[in-house]
Amino acid sequence: MKRFGLFILLLMVGLSTGGCGYNTIQQNDEKVIAAWGDVEASYQRRTDLIPNLVETVKGYTSHEKDTLTEVTEARAKVGTLQVGSDVLNNPEALNQFQQAQGSLSSALSRLMVVVERYPDLKANQNFLDLQHQLEGTENRINVARVRFNDAVRIFNTSIRTFPGNLTNNFLLKLPRREPFKAESGAEKAPQVKF
């Protein structure tokens, strides 16, 4: 009978220690750490991506703006020249007229190359792409924050409920994790300025 009592006691100790939650708490702690890494990775993506996208759009818009400005200026220059039959008799006026027309032709050629390659003048598309990338990045950050908060909730529950609370209090002594909280003023959307 003594052996049977010892067996029952060992069985109870084994079952109680096997269900103490030690491994579960450790797994949940690792999930919190990994989830925070995802939040940081999303922030890093935004840090890396947004300035590059903004500069790309600025550069491309500048290229198109320069091309369109050149066309407008060349057209205006051609319009200021008074063309009459006397131009043919004035080599200097003829030269100015030809230079103005050459400038306009050159600017139009560059514009036509842009239009042929990019029929919708891609600055518009670049802005749309930037908008989509900004939206996607902010969505990724939000998803990472939600997953982090979920991992924190699971972890905090595992160290505050029985038997995990006993395991944590006597063995691990892990602190309760804080979920992501928005900073003050975060209710205002950030603005991108060009």
Side-chain angles (χ1 to χ4, degrees):
M1 187 71 169
K2 225 177 180 183
R3 283 186 164 185
F4 182 69
L6 184 60
F7 175 73
I8 295 294
L9 181 64
L10 289 175
L11 184 63
M12 288 176 54
V13 168
L15 289 175
S16 67
T17 58
C20 70
Y22 182 86
N23 289 336
T24 301
I25 292 171
Q26 295 295 336
Q27 290 169 349
N28 291 341
D29 189 37
E30 289 301 318
K31 287 177 185 175
V32 169
I33 293 167
W36 181 248
D38 291 344
V39 171
E40 289 181 324
S42 296
Y43 281 133
Q44 187 63 48
R45 180 181 191 273
R46 178 172 56 184
T47 301
D48 294 343
L49 177 70
I50 301 307
N52 291 333
L53 283 172
V54 170
E55 289 304 313
T56 299
V57 171
K58 275 184 176 179
Y60 199 85
T61 304
S62 171
H63 167 71
E64 290 179 3
K65 180 181 175 187
D66 292 345
T67 302
L68 293 172
T69 302
E70 285 178 31
V71 169
T72 303
E73 289 174 353
R75 184 173 168 254
K77 203 181 283 182
V78 168
T80 61
L81 292 175
Q82 298 296 326
V83 181
S85 58
D86 61 330
V87 167
L88 295 176
N89 297 330
N90 185 345
E92 190 175 321
L94 183 60
N95 189 28
Q96 285 179 343
F97 177 76
Q98 287 176 335
Q99 284 179 348
Q101 291 295 332
S103 294
L104 180 59
S105 294
S106 177
L108 285 173
S109 293
R110 283 193 299 281
L111 179 62
M112 293 311 294
V113 167
V114 170
V115 170
E116 286 172 11
R117 288 186 186 163
Y118 313 101
D120 57 348
L121 291 177
K122 291 293 185 181
N124 181 39
Q125 186 62 43
N126 285 341
F127 281 110
L128 290 175
D129 289 346
L130 176 61
Q131 181 181 3
H132 291 303
Q133 289 294 332
L134 286 170
E135 180 182 332
T137 298
E138 294 306 316
N139 285 341
R140 285 179 188 209
I141 290 170
N142 187 54
V143 166
R145 287 174 182 164
V146 168
R147 288 180 180 161
F148 172 74
N149 284 351
D150 192 45
V152 166
R153 180 189 55 78
I154 291 169
F155 172 78
N156 287 342
T157 302
S158 72
I159 65 169
R160 296 183 70 205
T161 57
F162 184 80
N165 63 341
L166 296 176
T167 302
N168 190 51
N169 288 338
F170 293 116
L171 293 176
L172 300 172
K173 300 185 186 318
L174 296 172
R176 185 176 181 275
R177 306 291 182 176
E178 288 297 316
F180 176 82
K181 295 176 186 169
E183 297 174 11
S184 62
E187 66 277 0
K188 296 176 186 170
Q191 295 181 355
V192 176
K193 295 182 181 179
F194 294 101

